Amino acid sequence: LQVDSHHTTEDIGIVLGEAFTQALGDKVGIERYGAQFVPMDETLTRAVIDLSGRSYLVLHAELTTPTLGTFETEVVEDFWQGFADQARANVHIEVLYGRNTHHKIESMFKAVGRAMRQAVTINPEIKGVNSTIRFSFDATSISIITSTCDTPDMTVNLGDRKLVDSANMQSG
């Protein structure tokens, strides 16, 4: 079977993204987010992942060498687009600096791999799917919870003040 490098590379990204989607199933209990910086000699790359169920790719990389051996470097973006689409993930990759195209591409894969490991990590504190922002109110505080665990990310204590002062409310 003779297939060009563009379609082969894109198909590998598609299949890998599908494999993650199938393996994660309903995503119950996973962190969902991952972010990593990976240095490779003179190159530094950042990858940030959100396993949101919505695909989006942002790729900032200046690949100045058009081929590495017989590999066409322009297909790197096609790989990541196929991966992001099928993984149903927000994938942000940025080569912050570097000179060697090989190092840039290799650092992208390593950074995404490490960010994915972080995003798929199971956290026993997360109950259900990590996808919501909730507010919790009581007489003396407001809490903001940005995951499905019960630990507030931020709590504002009101002290002697109340959320609603019924004595000062006027009927309309």
Side-chain angles (χ1 to χ4, degrees):
L1 179 65
Q2 181 63 28
V3 180
D4 62 88
S5 64
H6 167 87
H7 288 97
T8 300
T9 304
E10 182 179 37
D11 288 352
I12 292 168
I14 289 169
V15 169
L16 186 61
E18 286 175 352
F20 269 101
T21 297
Q22 288 178 17
L24 292 172
D26 59 11
K27 298 186 253 179
V28 169
I30 67 167
E31 286 288 346
R32 178 180 158 179
Y33 303 99
Q36 292 290 318
F37 287 87
V38 169
M40 177 151 297
D41 296 338
E42 83 298 341
T43 298
L44 181 63
T45 298
R46 173 181 53 220
V48 182
I49 303 291
D50 176 6
L51 298 174
S52 62
R54 298 177 309 276
S55 79
Y56 202 87
L57 173 67
V58 175
L59 176 64
H60 294 284
E62 190 175 326
L63 304 178
T64 54
T65 304
T67 59
L68 295 174
T70 60
F71 181 75
E72 299 167 4
T73 59
E74 71 177 3
V75 301
V76 170
E77 185 167 0
D78 301 316
F79 171 90
W80 290 119
Q81 188 65 64
F83 175 79
D85 287 346
Q86 296 308 308
R88 297 182 185 104
N90 287 194
V91 178
H92 294 255
I93 305 167
E94 184 173 15
V95 177
L96 300 171
Y97 51 83
R99 178 191 53 78
N100 183 296
T101 299
H102 170 89
H103 293 163
K104 292 175 185 180
I105 294 170
E106 187 173 348
S107 66
M108 284 183 217
F109 281 87
K110 289 182 176 186
V112 170
R114 290 177 172 273
M116 284 296 291
R117 178 172 53 186
Q118 187 178 20
V120 303
T121 298
I122 295 187
N123 180 340
E125 291 186 8
I126 296 173
K127 312 287 188 260
V129 178
N130 188 3
S131 64
T132 59
I133 296 177
R134 294 180 294 139
F135 295 90
S136 171
F137 303 93
D138 64 27
T140 61
S141 67
I142 302 170
S143 296
I144 301 171
I145 304 166
T146 60
S147 69
T148 53
C149 64
D150 294 322
T151 307
D153 294 293
M154 183 175 80
T155 299
V156 177
N157 290 315
L158 301 173
D160 294 334
R161 294 171 286 169
K162 295 180 181 170
L163 290 176
V164 176
D165 186 350
S166 58
N168 289 328
M169 290 182 68
Q170 298 177 358
S171 60

